[in-house]
Amino acid sequence: MEGLGADGIIAVNNGAGGHLGNIPASVLVPALKSVCKIPVISAGGVGTGSGILSMLALGADGLSIGTPFIATKESGVSDEYKKACVDYSAEDIVVTTKLSGSRCTVLNTPYVKKIGTDQNILENLLSKNKQIKKYAKMLTYYKGMKAIEKAAFSATYKNVWCAGTSVEFTNEIGTIKGIVDRFKSEMTEAENNLLKTLGRV
Ligand SMILES: Cc1cc2nc3c(=O)[nH]c(=O)nc-3n(C[C@H](O)[C@H](O)[C@H](O)COP(=O)(O)O)c2cc1C
């Protein structure tokens, strides 16, 4: 990507909300830092100030944080989706290929439990067929993203709500400023604790 002229790289790890990677941040960030000159932005699994500090310690130049901001007053998604982010925790996050053909994290709602998280035999066959797999994938992706959009913004029993494991730290419907302020104070606390652990203070 650097060779193609990218200004930076979003390193989506295996803890990310939405379409996730396969590699943990502890491996992905240092691996990319050792070969890239452009900034590496770590994406996934961070919902606390200590999490931010840990990514910076790994060498990340910045972070992309998504899940913690779903349940905010400013967010345009439905109240049901926001409430689910408050009620559900890390262990309620499942990975599904049903929505887009690619691995994507969702809250394990009763509807997700009902439809399952794997593509059916027909979808599987179509996505493996050389001639039509590109079109089959495009169609699955289009249908899946429409379903996600519908579930996010309107009342439906077909609740497919995207979120990552950092939903663990969403305990109320807050504001963006409130969350950023919490991150800042948690970072200071984590930094002080770390310095104590390292015997530097
Ligand atoms: C509900 C939701 C929707 C997302 N939509 C997109 C998207 O349209 N395009 C994109 O590149 N990333 C998208 N992402 C991924 C985020 O940009 C970011 O990489 C990811 O959320 C970081 O992981 P976290 O949610 O664990 O913080 C989405 C993530 C979530 C949770």
Side-chain angles (χ1 to χ4, degrees):
M1 297 310 294
E2 188 171 301
L4 289 170
D7 297 314
I9 286 188
I10 307 279
V12 182
N13 62 51
N14 69 346
H19 290 106
L20 72 168
N22 295 317
I23 303 175
S26 56
V27 174
L28 187 61
V29 174
L32 285 172
K33 280 303 287 182
S34 70
V35 291
C36 295
K37 287 189 202 76
I38 54 176
V40 172
I41 310 299
S42 183
V46 170
T48 61
S50 56
I52 297 175
L53 192 67
S54 71
M55 293 302 159
L56 298 179
L58 288 169
D61 296 288
L63 279 83
S64 162
I65 303 177
T67 297
F69 297 104
I70 300 170
T72 53
K73 299 213 164 69
E74 293 89 340
S75 159
V77 301
S78 71
D79 288 345
E80 290 79 8
Y81 185 3
K82 293 181 193 179
K83 191 174 175 310
C85 287
V86 174
D87 294 341
Y88 285 58
S89 56
E91 60 190 6
D92 301 311
I93 302 300
V94 288
V95 176
T96 181
T97 51
K98 206 143 184 105
L99 293 171
S100 63
S102 299
R103 295 165 70 248
C104 181
T105 59
V106 288
L107 295 170
N108 201 11
T109 59
Y111 180 68
V112 169
K113 283 183 189 154
K114 190 176 143 204
I115 62 170
T117 51
D118 294 322
Q119 292 198 302
N120 63 34
I121 296 168
L122 180 65
E123 289 164 340
N124 236 327
L125 272 176
L126 290 176
S127 67
K128 286 201 174 94
N129 182 297
K130 263 192 182 157
Q131 267 94 46
I132 49 176
K133 89 175 177 194
K134 188 172 151 199
Y135 302 100
K137 186 146 183 163
M138 267 163 56
L139 185 65
T140 310
Y141 193 89
Y142 178 78
K143 269 173 56 195
M145 292 307 111
K146 277 275 157 218
I148 286 182
E149 198 181 319
K150 201 166 170 203
F153 295 104
S154 59
T156 163
Y157 74 96
K158 294 182 175 176
N159 293 325
V160 277
W161 290 321
C162 269
T165 48
S166 71
V167 79
E168 177 75 23
F169 305 109
T170 297
N171 300 318
E172 59 176 4
I173 298 171
T175 61
I176 293 174
K177 183 178 184 311
I179 293 170
V180 173
D181 285 346
R182 171 171 67 81
F183 284 164
K184 277 159 71 180
S185 65
E186 286 174 353
M187 263 182 87
T188 307
E189 192 187 334
E191 195 184 338
N192 291 337
N193 288 340
L194 181 63
L195 289 172
K196 267 189 221 148
T197 308
L198 295 173
R200 302 269 165 85
V201 284

